[in-house]
Amino acid sequence: MNKKKDVNFLVCGAVIAALYAALTYAASAVNLAYGAVQFRFSEALTVLAAYTPAAIPGLTIGCILANLGSPYGIADIICGSAATLLAAVFTYLTRNVRVKGLPLLAPVFSVVFNAVTVGAEITVFLPEGFTFKGFLIQAAFVGLGELVVCYAAGMPLCAAINKTGLRKYLK
């Protein structure tokens, strides 16, 4: 890579990380960022991995920073951020699967990885401890929140990126 591309990658990743963390803290202010029912506005940004590899470290670092405020502590910092990293990598790998220019698979990975990982994490902290039934319930709640945010906000974000020509800046 040349220096201009290196700087672009670094700046793009840093902006994504900052936006992710800030949007998560905004969701936290209205009790929507942590817990079984999550509507992290920041999760809409996960679709950016379909546009730039800089989103992979950006989303991961943003999630680490955001999870510093999690009531689940180090477990959420590690597990939640790992789920985000895996989702970003798989989103990037499937970036060329598009329907009418939109990466419709992009949100699927965030939904699945977060439902399983964060659902399991929350279940461990339940008063009765980890049970399969508890896990299914928690995973369903987390997955539903992810599904709503990632598709309701993520797909319009993709459409806006395509329509405005921002895509050329996200390489």
Side-chain angles (χ1 to χ4, degrees), residues 36-60:
V37 179
Q38 296 184 11
F39 289 99
R40 284 188 179 191
F41 317 126
S42 53
E43 286 295 308
L45 299 176
T46 60
V47 299
L48 295 177
Y51 292 96
T52 176
I56 297 170
L59 292 166
T60 305

Side-chain angles (χ1 to χ4, degrees):
M1 284 187 155
N2 64 35
K3 287 187 181 195
K4 185 176 180 181
K5 283 189 176 186
D6 289 344
V7 170
N8 185 47
F9 184 91
L10 182 66
V11 170
C12 189
V15 168
I16 291 169
L19 282 170
Y20 186 99
L23 287 170
T24 300
Y25 284 124
S28 178
V30 291
N31 294 320
L32 293 176
Y34 310 106
V37 179
Q38 296 184 11
F39 289 99
R40 284 188 179 191
F41 317 126
S42 53
E43 286 295 308
L45 299 176
T46 60
V47 299
L48 295 177
Y51 292 96
T52 176
I56 297 170
L59 292 166
T60 305
I61 292 167
C63 189
I64 290 168
L65 294 171
N67 286 343
L68 291 174
S70 172
Y72 299 105
I74 193 74
D76 206 17
I77 294 168
I78 294 170
C79 297
S81 302
T84 297
L85 171 62
L86 287 170
V89 167
F90 278 85
T91 298
Y92 181 74
L93 292 174
T94 60
R95 68 190 176 279
N96 294 324
V97 179
R98 295 177 183 263
V99 176
K100 295 186 180 183
L102 294 176
L104 293 181
L105 281 181
V108 169
F109 301 106
S110 288
V111 173
V112 172
F113 283 113
N114 280 289
V116 171
T117 306
V118 177
E121 176 190 326
I122 293 170
T123 306
V124 168
F125 288 99
L126 291 176
E128 65 272 11
F130 189 92
T131 65
F132 188 68
K133 180 181 176 185
F135 165 70
L136 291 177
I137 292 168
Q138 297 306 316
F141 280 131
V142 171
L144 181 61
E146 283 285 319
L147 185 72
V148 169
V149 171
C150 289
Y151 276 98
M155 285 297 101
L157 176 60
C158 290
I161 288 169
N162 292 346
K163 185 176 181 180
T164 61
L166 286 173
R167 189 172 182 178
K168 65 183 171 188
Y169 298 108
L170 295 172
K171 293 186 178 179

